[in-house]
Amino acid sequence: MRWKKTDYTGWGRALHASAEIARPERLSALKALLADAPAPAIGQLRSYGDAALNTGGRAIDMTRLDRILGFDAETGVVEVEAGAKIGDLGRIFAARGWIPPVMPGTGFATVGGCIANDVHGKNHHVVGSFGQHVTEITLLQGDKPRKLTPDKTKVLFKATVGGLGQTGVIASAKIQLMPCKGDMMVLTERRVDGWEEFLSVLENSRADYNVGWIDATAKGVNLGRGILEEGEITSGVSPTKGKARDVPFNAPHWALSAPVVRMFNEVYFRRVPAGGRTTVKPISAPFFPLDAIHNWNRLYGKRGFHQFQCVVPMDQAPALRQMLDLIANSGLASPLAVLKRMGDGRAGYMSFPMEGYTLAVDFPNRSGARVLIGNLERMTEDAGGRIYFAKDALSGPDRVATMYPEHGDWLKAVAKADPDGAMITDLVRRLNLRNTK
Amino acid sequence: MNEAWIILGATSSMARAFARTVAARGDAVFLAGRDLEDLNATRHDCTAHGARLAEVVTFDARKPEGFAAIIDRLEREDGLINAVVFVGSMPEQSAIDADPGLIDGTVTDSFTGPARLLQMIAPLIEARGGGTVVGVGSVAGDRGRIGNYVYGAAKAGFHTYLSGLRNRLTRSGGHVVTVKPGFVDTAMTWGIEGMFLVAAPQKVAEDILKAVEKKRNVIYTPFFWRYIMLIIRSIPEPIFKKMSI
Ligand SMILES: Cc1cc2nc3c(=O)[nH]c(=O)nc-3n(C[C@H](O)[C@H](O)[C@H](O)COP(=O)(O)OP(=O)(O)OC[C@H]3O[C@@H](n4cnc5c(N)ncnc54)[C@H](O)[C@@H]3O)c2cc1C
């Protein structure tokens, strides 16, 4: 198996790495690689920061191991190789009445990546996190496969789910799919005029899927205005498929400058009629709104961008309002800002979710934004919240670990699973998650 | 009418992408190769993608004694039988220079092995009055180059074989598509210097199926390789022999 010297980045394109990457196409090739020299696995590089980067080291690209290994139409349990894209599973099975219970905002994320970050979807308040629906993981430690289940191998399972690849390479997994009516979604969009109203509509929403888009440029009385999207899966026929578009080049830096974003947000907000509207769409549209434009991350130019995402406990909503105020007044926000009510569902020691509110905002990679994000992190910490490894690119050593109360349990399990630190990535080094510094 | 595909060399990423594509049409697939564990994974994948039937058959280009069993199985399948050949091996030219004995294996894997099996499948196609053979060759077969002329020679032989087979099968309603891929993003090309315009296996698979549906004779995939090879073939030998491309 050849190793390819590759320069690559996370989705935010702000952090770079140069590493040797192998891309096995068969399980036997993967095992041979790992027997020779264990290295961290990477998926579709949809994490924004450096979760999948390994500067000066090696990494194993899992994207060619993407097959469906079995499906039980009685129980709805599907077994897949870790490189399978979650959106493909959604597409294949929704038409047959089953759907992955949890899908993140991009269909390109691999099953391995969904497990390693224990991702959440727009229905987290109803079904919990991805790992809660994983019934078995086949983990390779060296070339030895181990079957992990939530009850028989509890510790290693909990260290692997949300474990950032540190326990070994996930070769395949079984996922309990959820019955669904079909592959269409009834989507209701409503304008929300301000912060307090947003909290209350999120609280009162009875929809399976909901998410709030926030105009992070709106200040004063308009602070926290946005659009509440609520969705329910249904059946129906879909019109002809839209073709994906591509952003072929880096956009100039003014493409997402403050006046452009303010204008865009105004239009986006008014696009939904004052009285709201309901439409029916193929599920991929509301699940993965940005996937229709390939390489949209190039819109931020070659310096890239950052996404800040935190979650704070319910009673810390005022702290979140303060953060939004700071963001709105900085003039640095991009159109992408999302507010969601989160449940307490999580499946791993290092899983992100906690009961409360989560806010995610994109910023172009400039010094002002980096300072702002630093402040937002501090405010998150003070509020007893956490920031999300799948998005973080800026935090410093030891800071984040303290936001994760079960870090100690994870550390113990990982030290045992990977005593030589072969699976350490740039993110783990930067945040000193394995206490190696 | 029901269609079935025997896919030779089904462990390659191009073959896998193709198997998925025909599975999604609801066709039957017979996945032929040596790595049974891997073929089995692809079998499940094809079923999940909608294949009417998916089975693994053992195929080793160098072991023709196993071919009869494959034919037996295909005979029991009704409807149209299609065959697609993705097998081939490309040792480094330097390895061949060191051990000329490697030539035999390269030619068997890339040409005579699959040709021998196709020769046994041809009567099935004739008897049923239809069916398509797809032979995946290579742009390397269009002109011998210092870097891989043994592999190129084997593929050139295969191209000529396919052209003859097309001439034969067309009389009974069968068809043969010769596919000449340029650089494809597979384990074979991963990390090799000097690759350019590398195509995704899925793209190649879709091109092949389109060519089958349109009954094309010879395709390059991606299409621009036709022009690249046109230029390369038209370089006069006195000049070409001094070049290293
Ligand atoms: C547009 C967009 C929207 C998003 N929306 C959401 C969202 O709504 N909710 C959410 O939770 N996340 C969201 N994300 C983040 C994304 O879901 C996660 O970052 C996910 O982990 C990406 O999967 P990947 O395959 O790209 O993994 P990568 O980014 O390549 O890797 C992520 C981590 O997983 C590990 N890993 C990958 N494969 C394996 C394996 N086989 N074995 C062991 N470890 C492995 C890597 O080592 C790394 O630590 C979004 C990302 C984007 C770009």
Side-chain angles (χ1 to χ4, degrees):
Chain A
M1 185 48 121
R2 260 176 252 115
W3 294 90
K4 179 171 168 180
K5 188 113 185 107
T6 310
D7 294 318
Y8 68 118
T9 72
W11 186 246
R13 303 173 78 229
L15 300 182
H16 298 249
S18 175
E20 286 187 325
I21 299 183
R23 191 187 59 191
E25 293 184 342
R26 309 185 202 182
L27 183 62
S28 55
L30 173 64
K31 283 184 181 165
L33 283 168
L34 292 173
D36 184 41
I42 60 178
Q44 286 279 354
L45 304 176
R46 252 53 186 192
S47 298
Y48 284 65
D50 47 2
L53 305 187
N54 190 14
T55 302
R58 286 180 160 182
I60 297 175
D61 178 333
M62 296 292 290
T63 57
R64 284 291 161 94
L65 292 163
D66 67 346
R67 288 169 292 192
I68 295 167
L69 299 176
F71 175 63
D72 184 335
E74 293 285 300
T75 61
V77 173
V78 65
E79 185 172 11
V80 276
E81 289 184 315
K85 294 196 276 290
I86 192 69
D88 286 347
L89 290 187
R91 184 175 48 76
I92 291 166
F93 289 104
R96 299 184 206 166
W98 295 95
I99 193 166
V102 176
M103 294 202 279
T106 174
F108 289 107
T110 65
V111 166
C114 288
I115 294 173
N117 271 318
D118 195 13
V119 300
H120 55 272
K122 297 186 175 81
N123 55 349
H124 184 267
H125 59 295
V126 182
V127 302
S129 71
F130 192 87
Q132 291 181 282
H133 306 275
V134 174
T135 58
E136 186 181 285
I137 295 172
T138 302
L139 185 74
L140 294 175
Q141 297 182 307
D143 61 346
K144 280 186 283 302
R146 283 191 65 171
K147 303 262 185 219
L148 311 183
T149 59
D151 21 81
K152 291 213 184 90
T153 40
K154 195 167 167 192
V155 170
L156 196 51
F157 187 89
K158 285 179 81 173
T160 300
V161 176
L164 300 162
Q166 298 303 297
T167 57
V169 172
I170 299 163
S172 56
K174 286 186 185 164
I175 303 161
Q176 173 68 61
L177 301 182
M178 183 171 79
C180 69
K181 278 196 208 147
D183 54 4
M184 301 292 282
M185 193 178 265
V186 184
L187 192 68
T188 300
E189 293 163 288
R190 249 183 290 179
R191 283 194 206 168
V192 182
D193 290 322
W195 177 257
E196 296 304 328
E197 189 188 335
F198 229 130
L199 294 187
S200 89
V201 294
L202 282 173
E203 203 48 50
N204 295 323
S205 168
R206 290 288 157 270
D208 289 341
Y209 296 87
N210 68 34
V211 66
W213 170 80
I214 287 210
D215 177 356
T217 60
K219 297 183 241 185
V221 287
N222 286 334
L223 183 80
R225 75 167 183 183
I227 293 165
L228 175 75
E229 273 183 27
E230 299 177 292
E232 301 277 354
I233 293 181
T234 184
S235 59
V237 284
S238 68
T240 47
K241 274 201 297 200
K243 213 172 158 62
R245 291 156 197 252
D246 194 8
V247 178
F249 304 110
N250 285 325
H253 62 87
W254 49 261
L256 288 168
S257 64
V260 176
V261 173
R262 259 199 312 276
M263 215 153 56
F264 176 89
N265 282 7
E266 185 67 32
V267 173
Y268 193 81
F269 180 70
R270 307 240 165 251
R271 169 190 69 104
V272 172
R277 69 170 177 204
T278 298
T279 49
V280 181
K281 295 185 167 154
I283 48 167
S284 60
F287 270 120
F288 316 124
L290 290 163
D291 287 358
I293 308 166
H294 288 163
N295 300 312
W296 61 263
N297 51 353
R298 291 184 182 149
L299 286 172
Y300 288 88
K302 64 173 189 300
R303 283 181 292 190
F305 70 112
H306 296 290
Q307 181 171 104
F308 167 77
Q309 182 171 6
C310 69
V311 57
V312 298
M314 292 298 288
D315 59 354
Q316 292 292 326
L320 211 55
R321 185 181 196 280
Q322 270 178 6
M323 290 190 214
L324 192 61
D325 201 28
L326 200 64
I327 294 167
N329 283 299
S330 73
L332 289 164
S334 81
L336 205 141
V338 166
L339 179 69
K340 234 202 87 58
R341 173 82 164 77
M342 211 164 220
D344 59 2
R346 60 205 297 273
Y349 295 127
M350 297 295 274
S351 296
F352 171 68
M354 69 160 77
E355 172 103 50
Y357 295 100
T358 177
L359 175 72
V361 188
D362 284 7
F363 299 98
N365 180 23
R366 307 216 198 103
S367 60
R370 292 193 292 268
V371 172
L372 173 65
I373 292 173
N375 290 330
L376 296 173
E377 272 171 23
R378 218 155 303 139
M379 293 164 83
T380 304
E381 194 174 7
D382 292 344
R386 352 188 133 107
I387 63 165
Y388 191 10
F389 299 120
K391 311 293 176 72
D392 172 62
L394 293 169
S395 200
D398 304 316
R399 176 82 167 275
V400 182
T402 60
M403 298 177 176
Y404 288 78
E406 291 171 299
H407 178 237
D409 296 316
W410 181 75
L411 206 54
K412 244 191 284 167
V414 168
K416 218 164 101 190
D418 175 35
D420 303 327
M423 312 312 264
I424 291 180
T425 55
D426 284 3
L427 175 126
V428 172
R429 258 187 296 275
R430 175 170 58 82
L431 300 177
N432 195 25
L433 292 181
R434 299 213 20 203
N435 282 4
T436 39
K437 278 186 196 152
Chain B
M1 198 190 299
N2 276 347
E3 291 193 46
W5 293 86
I6 167 99
I7 300 175
L8 304 175
T11 49
S12 86
S13 46
M14 253 188 283
R16 265 160 57 175
F18 185 78
R20 241 185 212 179
T21 311
V22 292
R25 304 203 310 179
D27 294 349
V29 290
F30 294 93
L31 304 158
R34 284 176 301 171
D35 183 344
L36 298 184
E37 176 193 55
D38 186 69
L39 292 171
N40 226 357
T42 302
R43 173 173 75 86
H44 288 297
D45 189 56
C46 287
T47 306
H49 277 82
R52 167 167 60 83
L53 170 84
E55 274 180 37
V56 169
V57 293
T58 306
F59 166 78
D60 183 336
R62 304 187 189 190
K63 295 196 177 127
E65 59 275 18
F67 293 180
I70 299 176
I71 300 297
D72 277 352
R73 180 61 193 91
L74 294 180
E75 270 171 348
R76 283 190 279 119
E77 197 56 32
D78 41 57
L80 289 184
I81 304 289
N82 304 311
V84 47
V85 178
F86 286 98
V87 277
S89 63
M90 188 175 68
E92 303 269 338
Q93 188 67 42
S94 58
I96 294 177
D97 295 343
D99 177 8
L102 291 178
I103 290 181
D104 295 343
T106 307
V107 173
T108 309
D109 294 341
S110 313
F111 170 22
T112 55
R116 216 165 144 161
L117 184 63
L118 290 180
Q119 207 63 17
M120 297 163 76
I121 292 174
L124 270 170
I125 293 178
E126 286 170 330
R128 297 179 190 201
T132 302
V133 169
V134 178
V136 177
S138 169
V139 295
D142 277 7
R143 196 155 192 184
R145 297 182 299 113
I146 187 164
N148 63 358
Y149 57 91
V150 170
Y151 174 73
K155 285 300 189 187
F158 191 47
H159 295 163
T160 306
Y161 170 80
L162 290 170
S163 141
L165 188 64
R166 176 158 45 242
N167 199 194
R168 167 178 167 185
L169 291 183
T170 198
R171 283 144 217 269
S172 53
H175 184 60
V176 176
V177 183
T178 306
V179 179
K180 299 184 184 176
F183 296 141
V184 185
D185 189 13
T186 64
M188 220 193 221
T189 56
W190 178 258
I192 291 188
E193 302 254 327
M195 290 289 139
F196 56 93
L197 300 170
V198 183
Q202 187 58 39
K203 158 86 179 131
V204 171
E206 284 161 17
D207 279 359
I208 294 176
L209 194 60
K210 230 184 287 165
V212 169
E213 283 165 356
K214 291 190 176 159
K215 291 205 179 254
R216 301 278 304 275
N217 297 313
V218 181
I219 65 155
Y220 287 81
T221 162
F223 71 96
F224 49 76
W225 279 93
R226 178 179 296 275
Y227 304 102
I228 295 175
M229 295 320 294
L230 193 67
I231 295 166
I232 288 180
R233 276 199 318 268
S234 63
I235 301 171
E237 196 66 17
I239 301 174
F240 190 81
K241 71 180 181 192
K242 295 190 191 123
M243 293 171 67
S244 41
I245 53 173

